[in-house]
Amino acid sequence: MKPRLVIVGPPGAGKGTQAAGVSEDLGIAWISTGAIFREVTASGSELGNQIVQLINNGDLVPDSLTNQVVANKLDEIGTDGGFLLDGYPRTLAQVEALDAMLSERGMELDAVVELNIPDDAIVGRLLKRAELEDRQDDTEEVIRHRIEVYHDSTAPLLDVYGKRGKVVKVDGIGTIEEVRERLISALKDSLGE
Ligand code: AP5
Ligand code: MG
């Protein structure tokens, strides 16, 4: 059975960077709600216009919309597929919604990767990215707000998944390759392969 995984971590922890490699290695779908929302906002559609300000300010998109986006992706993947959810769930309400979505489809999560970097390493990484990529939420003020939103709304999820024995902690400091090896080896231990 292909693994069903979540990766959680603060902005700039390297979720997307690592998710790209891990999903390819494991042959599973990479679902980044942030990337999906950026595509929608770039399209100039009515939906995009509704959420563009939230994203640019570093605020969360409403749970109902976010949950629907993920449910659609899970339907595309089908019940036999594996996935790596990057940036979802992000609130306790999204954890509940994901629980319901998975159980309706007869699926279960195998592991939740907690990718950690200290707050003081985040701003530098993301300001560097701002020089290369055009993300409107990569300004210092918005980055600091995103860090606060992470601590307030998202970090509490780790207690919930921790109580379920699903959390695999990975240190996100080091080169991209070092973090990747650490992550793969921690996942192998956890999935018992
Ligand atoms: P999202 O796209 O998920 O952004 P984020 O969580 O703020 O995280 P980032 O994508 O900025 O960082 P990352 O951890 O992926 O790091 P990366 O690999 O890019 O969400 C954006 C917005 O969408 C949210 O604010 C919200 O508005 C909305 N949204 C998304 N999901 C939502 C949800 N579930 N509910 C509600 N709203 C939602 O790496 C960062 C940089 O560091 C890159 O330049 C990379 O090259 C570099 N880097 C990576 N690893 C290393 C390393 N080991 N050493 C040095 N540099 C590194
Ligand atoms: Mg990302």
Side-chain angles (χ1 to χ4, degrees):
M1 187 72 82
K2 298 266 186 195
R4 281 124 189 197
L5 309 171
V6 167
I7 188 163
V8 180
K15 300 182 296 296
T17 304
Q18 298 299 335
V22 169
S23 58
E24 200 180 327
D25 278 2
L26 298 176
I28 56 178
W30 167 23
I31 306 174
S32 160
T33 43
I36 295 168
F37 288 143
R38 279 186 289 281
E39 274 175 34
V40 173
T41 54
S43 73
S45 63
E46 195 191 324
L47 178 61
N49 295 338
Q50 282 172 25
I51 62 174
V52 70
Q53 217 49 52
L54 292 170
I55 292 178
N56 289 353
N57 292 341
D59 289 317
L60 296 179
V61 174
D63 288 329
S64 53
L65 176 59
T66 310
N67 293 331
Q68 193 54 53
V69 160
V70 173
N72 293 347
K73 280 285 165 193
L74 291 180
D75 286 337
E76 273 173 34
I77 293 164
T79 49
D80 293 334
F83 56 77
L84 173 52
L85 284 164
D86 157 11
Y88 178 93
R90 233 170 166 104
T91 63
L92 292 167
Q94 291 179 13
V95 171
E96 281 178 24
L98 179 62
D99 285 344
M101 270 179 235
L102 293 176
S103 92
E104 275 163 22
R105 291 165 178 77
M107 297 166 128
E108 244 183 80
L109 282 184
D110 296 300
V112 174
V113 175
E114 175 184 347
L115 187 60
N116 282 307
I117 66 166
D119 287 355
D120 57 14
I122 296 173
V123 179
R125 265 196 197 179
L126 292 184
L127 289 179
K128 213 162 157 191
R129 182 173 68 188
E131 293 169 13
L132 307 168
E133 285 175 38
D134 188 26
R135 266 182 65 164
Q136 301 295 314
D137 58 349
D138 279 345
T139 62
E140 181 158 354
E141 193 191 347
V142 176
I143 294 166
R144 292 197 187 281
H145 180 58
R146 285 157 61 203
I147 296 172
E148 271 175 29
V149 171
Y150 175 77
H151 288 300
D152 291 348
S153 303
T154 306
L157 272 56
L158 294 165
D159 288 338
V160 174
Y161 285 127
K163 287 191 184 121
R164 298 183 193 175
K166 297 279 180 196
V167 175
V168 177
K169 288 184 192 240
V170 177
D171 179 2
I173 292 293
T175 65
I176 290 173
E177 195 47 46
E178 281 165 355
V179 175
R180 179 189 167 101
E181 280 169 19
R182 225 178 264 152
L183 199 164
I184 294 278
S185 124
L187 258 185
K188 278 193 178 143
D189 288 346
S190 154
L191 300 175
E193 281 169 30

